[in-house]
Amino acid sequence: MSLKKERVSMPTQDPQERRKTFTEVALGYNPDMAADEASRCLNCKVPFCVKGCPVEVDIPGFISAIKEQDMAKAAKVLKDKNNLPAVCGRVCPQESQCEAQCILAKKGKSVAIGRLERYTADWERQQGIPDPAKVDAKARKVAIVGSGPAGLTAAADLAKMGYQVTVFEALHTPGGVLMYGIPEFRLPKDVVQQEIDYIRKLGVDIQVNAVVGKSATVDELLEEGYDAVFIGTGAGLPNFMNIPGENLNGVYSANEFLTRTNLMKAYRFPEYGTPIKVGKKVAVIGAGNVAMDSARTALRLGAEESYIVYRRSAEEMPARHEEVEHAEEEGVQFLLLTSPVAYQGDESGYLKSMVLQKFSLGEPDASGRRSPVPIEGSEYEIEIDTVVVAIGQGPNPLVPRTTPGLILTKKGNILADEDTGKTSRANIFAGGDIVTGAATVILAMGAGKRAARAIDEYLQTL
Amino acid sequence: MYSICKKETLAPNLYLFEVEAGRIAKKAEAGQFIIIRKDDYAERIPLTIADFSREKGTITIIFQVVGAATRDLAECAAGDQILDVVGPLGVASEIENYGTVVCIGGGVGIAPVYPIARALKEAGNRVISIIGARSSDILFWKDKMAAVSDELLIATDDGSEGRKGFVTDILKDVLGREEVAHIWAIGPMIMMRAVSQVSKPSGVKTIVSLNPIMVDGTGMCGACRVGVGKETKFACVDGPEFDAHEVDWDLAMKRSGLFRHEEKMGMEHKKGGGACKCH
């Protein structure tokens, strides 16, 4: 059989149709497409792709099972390492991880591992997810703070080892950024819900409305009888630019804009009680994945024009290439080498316009990207109804502030070992965005997985 | 789920719920708030804790019907279950023995000022409480306020009880007649701003409890941004109490009206015939 050079593309909804709806953009492979794409995998003896996966999925293993048309086996191999495969198949930046390591990437196009992962997870979900195998229960108890990707992964892995695991979630729904942040059209909430249901089936107890640091501190959890605590509270503090007019009505943080829309379902207001206000012209500040999500959400909420405003050039945009492409197809416009310096409002305090300044690129900065340099006298004003500030998030201070003895970084992140999640306190582990600053779902999951292993080792010494 | 063990109608459109919430009651302190969400369709509503009983494991909230979310919440009866209650959130009031303190509650603001007055009294302060409302029939908790105050003064807009006028009229008299170390004022924004203006010349430290638009209540969304001094603060994690003399009242008032149009739309929308979903 000759090697197929081209990846099998995944069908998507028509851009002009999908920009009006919150239903999922990417439609997934059908069985023929999956078989075709799986047949491209060379099943390398030394699979570099696995090294590129933060949660160590046996990638050739599950793809081989697809080739053998044994989907149940494919799902089992996948889930052996990855507790959230339907999520990862949709939102992982595979192009810079497993797929970047694929041997075919050097010769042409890598195997579409992410699409096959999604196909496998979706296949299993449609069949009805089987109950997990029973494990011997251990007496030790672990508390997990935060039910985002890091917390859920740590919880699931520890439950698979037999530990008694309780997850504490501040919001009314578990899932963290998977529920409040990433939009429905990219990650349907019933997909996330089913992954969480599976984690519950592993024996994990999830308590919502539990704000650790407020309703109980980490030390109180330890006193209550938990033998170890994992902190995975994420990057839950929105950054603002501190420029004039930023508190006008109509300027949202991306967290607020997306939480209202995704978690509170404001796109179905007034059937759902939480409102959102979006005018005709929306500007999103920043060019990461959260910014793309916000700009595309704005279109779906009825904006006529949606802009990405970014102070560097297209090359430096931190968003996944696919997200930028999808945004462009849907009609999002890009104001590059441009950044706001002030917002102006009317007498009632509503945003009316923004003053933008042009930038040029100078020498590379600490991030390795060419630094933006403002061009004096280049300011101009445009009318705008809504602004969404998507320039990153800092660590939420609720847990660090109330946990004495926990050493923090200068930025307020928890200092933890990258390989183990160990913090300055022996029975407290941490991972995900609260340690690294805002990053990706899969990196948080990798941290959760490594911490689960280290927690297991620690608990065995007790 | 959180069970409503008592419901009282204090005045038209003004309700008291006592809710079983053991974990919250265990940790609650004066000045803190909770967020309540009646069912899956409901908005998250922040409400300052009006009372709590660690023994019974209950918290008390008092709310006025101002929009669709509070209207629907008011439809619940004793015995009904509420889907979500989270807290205690925010920073507790700084309670110490200051000497003579004035606690001002306006309208529904009487509820959150009560536990503060009680805590201040327990800490040894001489507590002068001033409560006010439009009219006598919507004044509540006079007895409870009296029980934790050395002196209770009342103002009504229409003069149906106590002094005819505003709480600020009484405050001016009190500030004129004696040395006051600290003031707490909770009520409608316009009242809190008026108190701030009255107390500012005297320099008496004045604390207000702000209740801006909020979503998560844990510092995540920044909807509750408040201008305090030269800084932007988040009322949910930095507050809800702030130094009244530092608050940017103009900004706070404008931000509170952000969804006024949507609130009207919400009120007009009666989902499923408006039946209470918690039955």
Side-chain angles (χ1 to χ4, degrees):
Chain A
M1 195 174 74
S2 69
L3 180 70
K4 291 192 184 72
K5 283 231 169 82
E6 284 306 310
R7 287 151 68 101
V8 178
S9 58
M10 180 163 55
T12 54
Q13 273 195 75
D14 177 73
Q16 290 316 309
E17 286 306 311
R18 75 187 191 224
R19 61 173 283 180
K20 299 174 206 151
T21 142
F22 277 83
T23 53
E24 196 173 9
V25 166
L27 301 171
Y29 279 161
N30 65 28
D32 291 341
M33 293 169 179
D36 272 1
E37 184 59 31
S39 74
R40 297 181 65 234
C41 176
L42 301 176
N43 201 6
C44 303
K45 285 231 159 55
V46 183
F48 292 112
C49 54
V50 178
K51 291 205 178 81
C53 175
V55 295
E56 308 151 18
V57 167
D58 175 5
I59 294 166
F62 94 84
I63 296 180
S64 294
I66 301 176
K67 286 186 204 170
E68 293 157 17
Q69 299 190 333
D70 187 349
M71 287 310 297
K73 185 180 165 196
K76 196 179 168 300
V77 172
L78 185 54
K79 268 209 161 141
D80 186 42
K81 294 287 185 183
N82 190 342
N83 300 301
L84 306 167
V87 169
C88 289
R90 287 172 167 81
V91 303
C92 269
Q94 290 99 3
E95 65 280 2
S96 59
Q97 298 184 332
C98 54
E99 292 179 10
Q101 306 294 323
C102 175
I103 199 83
L104 291 187
K106 296 181 180 73
K107 296 188 181 170
K109 289 277 170 99
S110 62
V111 174
I113 300 166
R115 293 171 187 174
L116 290 171
E117 179 182 35
R118 170 184 164 148
Y119 173 75
T120 305
D122 286 358
W123 176 88
E124 193 196 36
R125 218 174 53 252
Q126 279 150 18
Q127 309 300 307
I129 296 171
D131 285 344
K134 288 262 175 287
V135 291
D136 291 336
K138 296 188 171 87
R140 297 285 179 197
K141 290 169 66 186
V142 184
I144 308 283
V145 185
S147 68
L152 288 176
T153 301
D157 277 10
L158 287 161
K160 284 176 179 171
M161 296 172 199
Y163 292 107
Q164 311 300 306
V165 184
T166 308
V167 177
F168 297 92
E169 167 56 46
L171 291 169
H172 55 258
T173 303
V177 73
L178 307 175
M179 279 297 191
Y180 74 73
I182 304 177
E184 178 79 18
F185 58 82
R186 209 150 72 78
L187 180 63
K189 299 308 146 212
D190 61 348
V191 169
V192 183
Q193 193 53 56
Q194 290 206 34
E195 306 255 55
I196 291 168
D197 290 346
Y198 170 75
I199 289 169
R200 281 202 171 104
K201 274 191 186 172
L202 292 170
V204 173
D205 174 30
I206 303 179
Q207 296 197 8
V208 296
N209 297 322
V211 187
V212 173
K214 284 289 171 190
S215 33
T217 62
V218 168
D219 283 293
E220 283 165 341
L221 293 176
L222 291 166
E223 281 161 29
E224 276 176 32
Y226 290 99
D227 300 290
V229 176
F230 173 78
I231 302 170
T233 47
L237 193 74
N239 291 337
F240 286 95
M241 292 172 70
N242 299 315
I243 58 175
E246 212 170 21
N247 291 336
L248 285 165
N249 287 341
V251 182
Y252 297 93
S253 74
N255 271 358
E256 180 185 0
F257 191 72
L258 294 174
T259 300
R260 283 183 180 275
T261 313
N262 300 322
L263 180 73
M264 305 310 296
K265 298 195 164 49
Y267 63 95
R268 289 168 69 181
F269 178 84
E271 180 195 4
Y272 284 80
T274 302
I276 194 156
K277 208 192 257 301
V278 172
K280 289 182 181 159
K281 288 178 79 171
V282 178
V284 177
I285 317 303
N289 288 321
V290 172
M292 298 304 147
D293 284 346
S294 303
R296 297 170 71 194
T297 295
L299 288 175
R300 286 160 173 80
L301 290 170
E304 289 169 12
E305 294 168 46
S306 177
Y307 295 91
I308 288 283
V309 179
Y310 182 51
R311 58 190 186 140
R312 304 185 205 237
S313 74
E315 209 171 298
E316 290 82 19
M317 291 199 289
R320 286 182 73 189
H321 180 67
E322 183 183 285
E323 301 308 322
V324 176
E325 211 171 72
H326 280 162
E328 278 174 339
E329 286 169 6
E330 289 168 13
V332 171
Q333 300 173 64
F334 291 74
L335 294 176
L336 303 175
L337 292 166
T338 303
S339 190
V341 289
Y343 302 109
Q344 282 159 0
D346 63 15
E347 64 287 350
S348 311
Y350 284 85
L351 177 68
K352 278 308 225 201
S353 68
M354 62 197 289
V355 179
L356 296 169
Q357 185 174 34
K358 295 271 199 187
F359 281 68
S360 63
L361 290 180
E363 294 300 308
D365 64 12
S367 72
R369 297 176 299 175
R370 292 181 65 191
S371 62
V373 182
I375 300 172
E376 293 301 320
S378 65
E379 292 87 351
Y380 66 106
E381 191 177 338
I382 64 167
E383 277 182 27
I384 206 81
D385 301 306
T386 302
V387 160
V388 179
V389 183
I391 54 164
Q393 295 98 243
N396 190 301
L398 280 183
V399 173
R401 251 189 223 166
T402 53
T403 313
L406 211 53
I407 296 178
L408 308 179
T409 67
K410 257 187 268 171
K411 287 183 176 170
N413 293 95
I414 296 174
L415 195 67
D417 184 273
E418 202 186 322
D419 293 325
T420 59
K422 285 183 180 166
T423 69
S424 49
R425 289 183 52 184
N427 47 5
I428 302 177
F429 298 75
D433 286 1
I434 187 68
V435 172
T436 56
T440 59
V441 168
I442 188 66
L443 287 176
M445 289 174 62
K449 189 170 243 348
R450 293 191 297 276
R453 213 172 278 151
I455 291 169
D456 176 42
E457 280 168 22
Y458 166 74
L459 293 176
Q460 289 187 35
T461 66
L462 295 183
Chain B
M1 298 289 267
Y2 302 80
S3 190
I4 301 170
C5 49
K6 187 165 97 180
K7 178 186 182 180
E8 274 179 42
T9 304
L10 299 174
N13 284 328
L14 188 66
Y15 300 93
L16 174 151
F17 284 178
E18 191 175 346
V19 181
E20 283 172 17
R23 270 194 108 103
I24 302 174
K26 194 175 144 194
K27 299 283 281 193
E29 297 290 351
Q32 291 187 294
F33 67 98
I34 53 112
I35 285 182
I36 190 164
R37 191 176 78 123
K38 183 189 152 190
D39 58 41
D40 258 327
Y41 291 88
E43 205 175 351
R44 293 167 64 96
I45 315 171
L47 290 169
T48 310
I49 298 168
D51 202 357
F52 50 88
S53 165
R54 301 208 205 284
E55 300 73 42
K56 285 197 283 176
T58 63
I59 55 164
T60 299
I61 49 170
I62 291 178
F63 64 95
Q64 198 166 15
V65 173
V66 289
T70 41
R71 173 201 65 197
D72 294 347
L73 190 62
E75 285 171 5
C76 292
D80 285 345
Q81 305 275 320
I82 292 169
L83 185 57
D84 299 300
V85 183
V86 57
L89 300 170
V91 181
S93 308
E94 266 182 55
I95 304 295
E96 53 185 86
N97 191 350
Y98 297 100
T100 297
V101 294
V102 175
C103 292
I104 305 172
V108 71
I110 297 167
V113 95
Y114 165 73
I116 298 170
R118 178 176 61 189
L120 287 165
K121 180 75 188 149
E122 281 167 5
N125 291 279
R126 176 173 135 74
V127 177
I128 302 171
S129 293
I130 308 172
I131 60 174
R134 276 197 321 278
S135 184
S136 161
D137 55 348
I138 48 174
L139 263 184
F140 62 96
W141 278 16
K142 280 176 285 188
D143 48 343
K144 285 186 80 153
M145 284 302 291
V148 297
S149 308
D150 293 274
E151 195 177 349
L152 177 68
L153 304 161
I154 294 172
T156 51
D157 298 5
D158 63 2
S160 52
E161 186 160 354
R163 173 164 170 177
K164 183 174 184 328
F166 301 121
V167 289
T168 40
D169 298 326
I170 299 181
L171 176 65
K172 279 178 201 156
D173 290 353
V174 173
L175 289 176
R177 78 175 190 219
E178 62 186 291
E179 194 78 3
V180 171
H182 232 86
I183 299 170
W184 259 267
I186 309 180
M189 192 104 66
I190 203 153
M191 180 210 94
M192 292 192 284
R193 184 176 67 173
V195 167
S196 176
Q197 283 163 349
V198 167
S199 69
K200 200 167 184 175
S202 64
V204 179
K205 180 96 164 180
T206 303
I207 303 294
V208 289
S209 178
L210 300 181
N211 189 9
I213 291 169
M214 225 175 246
V215 185
D216 64 287
T218 62
M220 198 185 81
C221 84
C224 62
R225 307 202 288 286
V226 189
V228 181
K230 286 195 165 61
E231 285 180 284
T232 293
K233 299 274 189 189
F234 289 2
C236 66
V237 286
D238 300 320
E241 295 189 350
F242 293 103
D243 183 335
H245 301 152
E246 297 281 318
V247 170
D248 181 342
W249 290 103
D250 184 48
L251 176 71
M253 289 183 139
K254 283 173 176 166
R255 283 191 68 81
S256 71
L258 174 57
F259 291 113
R260 201 153 282 155
H261 173 70
E262 285 73 13
E263 276 161 19
K264 270 195 205 124
M265 276 171 72
M267 283 299 266
E268 284 156 16
H269 175 86
K270 265 274 182 187
K271 65 184 187 232
C276 171
K277 289 229 164 82
C278 58
H279 284 292

